[in-house]
Structures are given as C-alpha cells and as structure tokens.
Amino acid sequence: MRWVPFVTFVGAISLVDAFTPPSSINHKLSTLNVAAAEPDVTVEKPTGTSFLPEETVERAKVGSPVEKVKLAKDGTSAWVDVYEFARKIREGEMTWEEVEKADLDTRLKWVGMLHRGKRTPGQFMMRMKVPNGIVNADQMRFYADCVEKYGPEKGVVDITTRQNIQLRGVKIEDAPDIIEGLHARNQTSFQSALDNVRNMVGSPLAGIDDQELVDTRELCNAINDLISLDPVTNTRGNPRWGNLPRKFNIAISGSRDDYAHTHINDIGLQPVKHAETGEMGFNVVLGGFMSIKRVAESVDSDMWIPADRNSVVTLCEAILRIFRDEGNRKNRQLARLMYLVEEYGVEKFKEAVVAEAESYDRGVKIEDAQPAPSEPFERRELLGVHPQPQEGKMRVGIMVPAGRLSAQECRDLADLADKYSGGEVRLTVEQNVILPNVDESDVDDLLKEDSLNGDSRFKANPGFIEGNLVSCTGAEFCGLALIETKANAEALAKKLESLVAVDRPIRIHWTGCPNSCGQVQVADIGIMGAPARKEIDGKKVAVPGCKIFVGGKIGEEGHLSLDPVKTGIPISEEDLIPELIDILKSEFGAVEKKK
Ligand code: SRM
Ligand code: SF4
C-alpha cells in the first residue's frame, strides 16, 4: 500500500493549523456505534491522490478537467476548507462568490455539498450517507432544523433513489454546524458525491423480514466505514478512497426481492447459499449503471463470497483498489466500472480481484458463483401494514410523494417514529419510508394519526399508482434537468389515480434528463425529460416534453427497458395523461373509472 508518511500538526505547516481544527475532523465515528480508539490529533491525513500509483497520477495529469482540478488541489481538502470558507464568510472576509470556482462547484462535493448555482446561486444541496437507509427521529428533526431557515421553497429535504437523504438550501456559512451536528448524530455527508463511493443501499426490511436471507445492516455499515472512516485517524473521511476515477455504487440485497436493485449498481451482492456447504453468501454482479451515454445491466462475475463482514469488505476493497488505480481518467463517460470489466474480460477481471483479495492475506476465499434458487418467489410489497417475524410487531410502509419532505413533514415523521417505531425510520429506494417494529396493538392508532390522513401528503395505504411513484430532483434544483419532475409527478399520479383502476402496483418513474437518476429503465412506465413541440395558436413551439419507457423489471428477473416507446410527448396534463392511460390500459390492464 502506498501510504504516504503523515505530516504532524505540531510545528508543521498544515492546511489546518491556520485556524482551530474543527472538532468533527477529530470526531470519532463509526456507523456501527462501536467504541473507537481515541483519534490521534497530531496527524494530518494524506490526500486522496497520495494513494494513487505514479502511473495513475501520470494518466490523471493528461486526464479530464475534473482530474486536473483534483491534482491542483485534492478533493479531500474540502473536509478542512469548508470550515475556513464558512468562517471567512461569517466574519465578512469573503463572500461565497469569492470561493474559487473549482472549490465551489467541484471540491465541496467531498463534503457532500453540491452547489445549485443554476437554480439557487449560493445555496447547496447537502447529500448524506445513510447506510442501509436507516435514520432516527433525532436525525429527522435535525434535518428539519437545518433547512427550515431557508424557507419552505428552498429549504426542503429529499429521500433519494439510493435510500438516502439530501438537505436543500444549505449555505456555506452554515455548513460546519450541520456537519458537526451530523457527526454528533453518528452520520456524515462526507464522500457522498462526485468521485466517491455513493450511499450503501441495503434491504429496507433488514432484521424484520421472515423471508430474509442476509441481514444487510452490519454489512452496509462496514462498507460505509471502509469508505468514509479513516482507519488511521479514526475520523470521518477516508482519503484512501478519496480519488476514484468516477462515482461508484454498491448495493447489498438481503432477500430474493432484491429491494436494493443490485442489477443497476457497480457492485451488486445477491444472497445465495453455497450449493455444497449450505453456507449463506452472495453471488457478485458487476458493472450495472445508467448514464447519458449508455445504460447497462450488471454482468455475472462468477464470484461467490460468504455473507460475513470480512469477506464483503475484502471483496469491495479489492474491486475498489483496481477501479481506483486502473479506471479511465481521461474520459469520464468511459470511467464507470463496466468499461474496466469489459477491458479485462469478465474472467480476467475475476482473476485480478481474487489475486488482489488474496494479497490482503485475510483468509477470504472467493469461490465460483453458486446456483440461484429456482423455487417460485413473488416479490413483496413495502407499503402498508405487514407482519414481522418478531411476534406482535408490524412494519408499516408509508408513501412520501416523490420523496419530498418539508421541515414540518420531517418532524411529523419523527413524531410518528418516536411514538410507534422506537424512533426508527427506514428509507426505501422508491423514496418512501417504513416504520419498523410497530406494536400490533398500536397499528390502528397509527393509521388514524392526523399526519397519515386528511390533507397530509403521507399515506399508509395509497393507491397502486401514487404509492409507487419515483422522481428525480428535476428542474426545481438540478441544473441538468430538461423538465420539472417532482411536482408534475405528484400531480399526475394523483390525477391518474382518480381516472383509472389498476389491480397491482404500477411503478411510474420520472427523470429530468438522460442521466436517469430516477431510473426510468427499471420502471413499469418511465418518463424521461426530452424535447417536445406542440401546436399553440397555429404555431409549433418547443414545450417541456418527455420520452416514455415501458416494461422495466426489478427483483430477481431484473431487466432494463432501454428504448423508449414514445418520444416528444409534451408533459402537460392534457397531453401526457391520455398517453399514460393508453399505456396503462394496453400494458397493465387498467380500467377507466366512471366519471
Ligand atoms: Fe444522479 C448526477 C441527483 C441517483 C446517475 N444526480 C446527478 C446530479 C448530482 C447532477 C447535478 O449536479 O445536478 C443530481 C443532483 C440533483 C439534486 O440537486 O438533487 C443527481 N442522483 C440524484 C438523486 C438525488 C436523484 C433523486 O432524486 O433521488 C439521487 C441521489 C442518490 C444518492 O443518494 O446518492 C441520484 N443518479 C442516481 C442514480 C440511481 C442509483 O444510483 O441507483 C443514477 C443511475 C445509476 C448510476 O449511477 O449508474 C444516477 N446522476 C447520475 C449520472 C450519470 C452517471 C454516469 O455514469 O454518467 C449523473 C451525471 C454525472 O455523474 O456526471 C448524475
Ligand atoms: Fe438532474 Fe438529470 Fe439526475 Fe434528474 S436525472 S436529478 S435532472 S441529473
């Protein structure tokens, strides 16, 4: 390993000794809540680039503009810089506009801060890490407190398609308090964007599922710690994985339902028993991703690992090391894992991973893929009230339309969680929530709560269409968007619900541009922002429009729908609703309701 010697704080010129080191930098943290050793405050962290082999650095030097930004000053510098910028802005020494552009728009992403310069200049989205999508009432209230000051339009909270939380409206001067507050609550925003490993997706039913094959919580926490907890200083932010060639997604499925969507992640772990020993483990699928250039389903890697912490961490570490040092640094569109796997060939890539894992000498044995179960299995619902294996306990899935939460709605959820689910809230990749461990005897009271009835946007028993809605951020905040998504998605789902009856959940996904953050290719019906024209007053004019995808599949039979069935459809209600009703009737057996 290429650890560079640490520079000591004491007596050394360091990035941080110009001002008091923020306590969060030295805050001991583990998502597992284990007692960690006291951090050594006398060491400064190495940079992300310091872990790269010379050859990789040489490639980065002639690489993409982002590579050059990272070489000029490492992305990991933001872990410290954000405190300095905030202090200077608070003390009137600088304005946010004076923050160097590369810091503002690129490096601050290492603290999870994404400048929303096109839509809300000077304000940021702050993305968390919520391994396995589990948060608590205290964290929910903290999110509300953080965003409320930015007003009801800009200061909102989103549940993302990676079972994660994003805070909106954040200003640089407020960031240190938020970061400290998160760290004090055992959470972080570090390494959640740009060239970092993204939120760890696991099973939302982990530990409360009678069909569970693997409890994904500890494994998601372990990978989360691998990525963003520095093992040397025991502080948040791990520079070892701080300079990847591109984003990297990992998902661990806990049951045959594959709630984690392993087939669209760079690494997907699918639970399967070893055919001979009966030991529980994972088949490893690789390279699934979505982008403007290409959308690809994962390939089978022909690897199986036991479902224990050491094996899972070692496998991910081995793949990450290869990806970090060998991935494309020139063309960001070709820098996803799939391209590297294809360059090697699956077999050779497997050999490289096995050799890398063996070199760590941790006794991890990677075997050939094991046969997946073949008995019939039906994917289960997450919304509504369902029994748990724990006697007398129920899980209650609640719809959060398009994943959007106001500050008050965060507090409402926190109140429900405190009252009914031991303070715990589970997030799903469908941008909804689950309250686990509700006493059976309390379920009726929960369902009668004001925040689940009347004018509330939350519903425990929503319709099949509105309940399964997913939407990316769209033009409200995202500079890449071609259309407004969340508000349209919510309004049109409500409208459809009133117009047609369906007899099963229909998953309608909206995504504002071809990056497909809203994963339209896995949807029953996917709506992707695209150009459209419409005749208005006798003239054809450009209007917000979409392409429509039909027939994506999730679960064991996961399959991506790659080609749109319709293009150039305006997204206005009068144009889109009839198209969707036609598709719902012809493909999903919908029946129009009597007017
Ligand atoms: Fe995404 C870029 C939002 C999940 C593929 N994504 C963006 C940016 C950062 C663009 C930007 O700077 O504005 C968006 C920020 C908008 C905002 O203000 O929220 C953005 N992506 C999102 C979220 C918030 C959508 C949502 O509403 O839930 C999701 C955050 C997940 C998280 O918690 O980390 C989100 N993005 C995804 C997914 C789905 C997934 O991970 O399962 C994908 C497809 C899967 C994948 O990555 O392979 C996805 N986002 C992209 C891409 C295309 C990646 C590529 O290889 O080209 C981009 C563009 C990029 O990275 O250059 C992108
Ligand atoms: Fe933005 Fe496009 Fe992603 Fe939607 S799909 S959040 S519009 S980048």
Side-chain angles (χ1 to χ4, degrees):
M1 266 304 85
R2 288 157 291 274
W3 285 92
V4 294
F6 292 156
V7 182
T8 58
F9 258 92
V10 188
I13 309 267
S14 88
L15 274 171
V16 284
D17 61 7
F19 63 104
T20 315
S23 63
S24 76
I25 293 289
N26 299 318
H27 195 94
K28 62 183 179 187
L29 263 172
S30 160
T31 41
L32 284 175
N33 269 326
V34 292
E38 276 302 312
D40 183 352
V41 293
T42 63
V43 294
E44 187 188 340
K45 291 183 179 193
T47 69
T49 308
S50 67
F51 289 92
L52 304 183
E54 206 38 56
E55 181 270 336
T56 308
V57 175
E58 289 306 312
R59 284 194 295 116
K61 281 182 188 161
V62 290
S64 68
V66 177
E67 291 302 325
K68 288 175 186 151
V69 164
K70 290 188 289 185
L71 285 180
K73 183 167 74 157
D74 207 66
T76 60
S77 60
W79 299 335
V80 168
D81 285 351
V82 69
Y83 289 85
E84 181 72 334
F85 299 148
R87 184 187 63 75
K88 286 187 171 165
I89 292 171
R90 279 201 300 252
E91 291 172 9
E93 286 176 32
M94 76 188 296
T95 63
W96 70 264
E97 286 101 329
E98 286 165 338
V99 173
E100 187 197 330
K101 197 167 160 35
D103 286 324
L104 194 71
D105 292 336
T106 305
R107 294 189 198 97
L108 280 174
K109 291 179 181 172
W110 268 254
V111 285
M113 288 181 67
L114 283 79
H115 186 215
R116 305 292 75 196
K118 191 164 170 188
R119 314 290 183 196
T120 55
Q123 288 183 285
F124 291 73
M125 171 266 276
M126 189 187 267
R127 183 181 284 164
M128 308 287 109
K129 285 283 186 88
V130 181
N132 212 128
I134 299 179
V135 295
N136 62 38
D138 175 44
Q139 290 164 343
M140 272 285 174
R141 291 197 183 94
F142 181 67
Y143 306 149
D145 294 346
C146 291
V147 300
E148 194 162 43
K149 65 197 280 192
Y150 309 118
E153 308 273 298
K154 294 178 183 166
V156 291
V157 174
D158 283 325
I159 302 171
T160 79
T161 52
R162 292 197 69 76
Q163 211 177 28
N164 195 9
I165 291 284
Q166 292 184 168
L167 310 181
R168 296 204 176 273
V170 177
K171 295 191 175 168
I172 296 180
E173 54 270 40
D174 301 327
D177 286 347
I178 301 180
I179 291 168
E180 300 274 313
L182 289 170
H183 288 184
R185 288 169 177 80
N186 210 19
Q187 207 171 48
T188 192
S189 61
F190 284 17
Q191 285 171 292
S192 59
L194 213 70
D195 298 344
N196 286 288
V197 180
R198 304 303 175 84
N199 192 46
M200 278 304 306
V201 180
S203 169
L205 302 187
I208 55 168
D209 180 8
D210 59 357
Q211 306 276 319
E212 180 163 278
L213 299 171
V214 178
D215 184 338
T216 56
R217 287 174 295 185
E218 191 201 343
L219 301 175
C220 284
N221 281 335
I223 301 295
N224 192 58
D225 282 353
L226 167 78
I227 292 150
S228 59
L229 185 69
D230 184 342
V232 178
T233 58
N234 204 23
T235 57
R236 270 295 159 213
N238 187 354
R240 189 160 183 241
W241 307 115
N243 188 348
L244 300 178
R246 197 66 165 95
K247 73 189 294 194
F248 197 91
N249 292 331
I250 306 178
I252 309 182
S253 176
S255 67
R256 291 182 64 185
D257 309 88
D258 195 11
Y259 295 122
H261 291 182
T262 50
H263 64 307
I264 53 167
N265 277 260
D266 295 288
I267 300 179
L269 301 184
Q270 303 177 337
V272 176
K273 272 188 182 163
H274 194 285
E276 281 162 28
T277 65
E279 184 181 7
M280 185 50 74
F282 295 108
N283 279 344
V284 181
V285 295
L286 295 175
F289 79 109
M290 293 169 168
S291 73
I292 286 185
K293 188 175 166 66
R294 177 178 170 193
V295 173
E297 214 163 291
S298 298
V299 292
D300 293 332
S301 71
D302 192 26
M303 289 190 273
W304 179 93
I305 51 162
D308 61 63
R309 195 186 159 110
N310 184 28
S311 304
V312 169
V313 169
T314 301
L315 175 98
C316 290
E317 207 175 334
I319 294 172
L320 274 175
R321 210 285 303 154
I322 296 169
F323 175 67
R324 183 193 65 192
D325 296 349
E326 299 177 26
N328 194 317
R329 299 257 168 187
K330 181 102 188 149
N331 181 343
R332 288 179 68 77
Q333 293 208 311
L334 303 179
R336 297 298 297 266
L337 182 71
M338 180 62 102
Y339 293 101
L340 191 59
V341 173
E342 286 174 343
E343 211 177 288
Y344 265 90
V346 176
E347 216 169 295
K348 289 270 176 252
F349 191 75
K350 175 183 173 186
E351 282 172 22
V353 172
V354 170
E356 178 75 17
E358 277 171 2
S359 76
Y360 301 160
D361 202 15
R362 297 181 195 158
V364 170
K365 191 153 168 41
I366 299 175
E367 299 197 38
D368 293 345
Q370 298 298 305
S374 55
E375 317 79 67
F377 182 84
E378 205 167 319
R379 197 170 188 272
R380 296 159 302 151
E381 279 317 299
L382 292 174
L383 290 168
V385 182
H386 303 270
Q388 293 183 193
Q390 293 83 5
E391 210 177 314
K393 298 286 185 192
M394 310 291 271
R395 60 175 160 99
V396 181
I398 297 170
M399 167 186 90
V400 177
R404 170 59 51 82
L405 295 163
S406 67
Q408 185 52 48
E409 286 170 334
C410 288
R411 294 193 181 108
D412 290 344
L413 272 182
D415 290 346
L416 289 179
D418 270 343
K419 202 162 164 190
Y420 296 100
S421 60
E424 186 173 332
V425 180
R426 306 255 179 129
L427 313 175
T428 72
V429 295
E430 289 80 22
Q431 304 171 314
N432 290 319
V433 300
I434 296 171
L435 298 184
N437 301 313
V438 178
D439 281 332
E440 200 172 348
S441 53
D442 289 343
V443 168
D444 284 348
D445 288 347
L446 167 60
L447 297 181
K448 282 186 211 138
E449 288 283 350
D450 287 349
S451 50
L452 296 183
N453 292 285
D455 291 339
S456 172
R457 290 170 66 244
F458 300 152
K459 285 187 193 168
N461 289 305
F464 281 140
I465 295 174
E466 56 180 358
N468 293 282
L469 187 66
V470 168
S471 173
C472 84
T473 306
E476 190 184 6
F477 296 106
C478 179
L480 305 179
L482 303 173
I483 56 168
E484 162 59 33
T485 52
K486 283 194 191 281
N488 285 323
E490 190 174 344
L492 264 64
K494 245 191 209 156
K495 186 81 191 171
L496 282 173
E497 204 71 71
S498 71
L499 295 173
V500 294
V502 285
D503 61 3
R504 67 172 181 90
I506 305 294
R507 300 172 301 106
I508 300 183
H509 288 217
W510 285 67
T511 211
C513 80
N515 282 314
S516 209
C517 305
Q519 310 152 324
V520 291
Q521 293 86 353
V522 305
D524 288 325
I525 302 176
I527 298 167
M528 175 189 282
R533 297 182 81 77
K534 182 173 173 171
E535 197 164 309
I536 299 174
D537 297 335
K539 275 195 201 142
K540 282 259 182 200
V541 293
V543 290
C546 69
K547 295 178 181 177
I548 304 179
F549 295 72
V550 175
K553 298 261 182 299
I554 50 175
E556 282 181 318
E557 306 303 322
H559 168 69
L560 304 178
S561 126
L562 296 177
D563 298 313
V565 295
K566 297 260 179 178
T567 56
I569 309 292
I571 57 163
S572 53
E573 195 178 301
E574 59 173 3
D575 296 294
L576 188 50
I577 287 278
E579 296 284 351
L580 294 177
I581 290 182
D582 276 354
I583 294 170
L584 284 165
K585 281 163 60 179
S586 61
E587 305 292 326
F588 301 98
V591 178
E592 282 190 65
K593 288 182 180 166
K594 292 211 176 79
K595 293 191 177 129

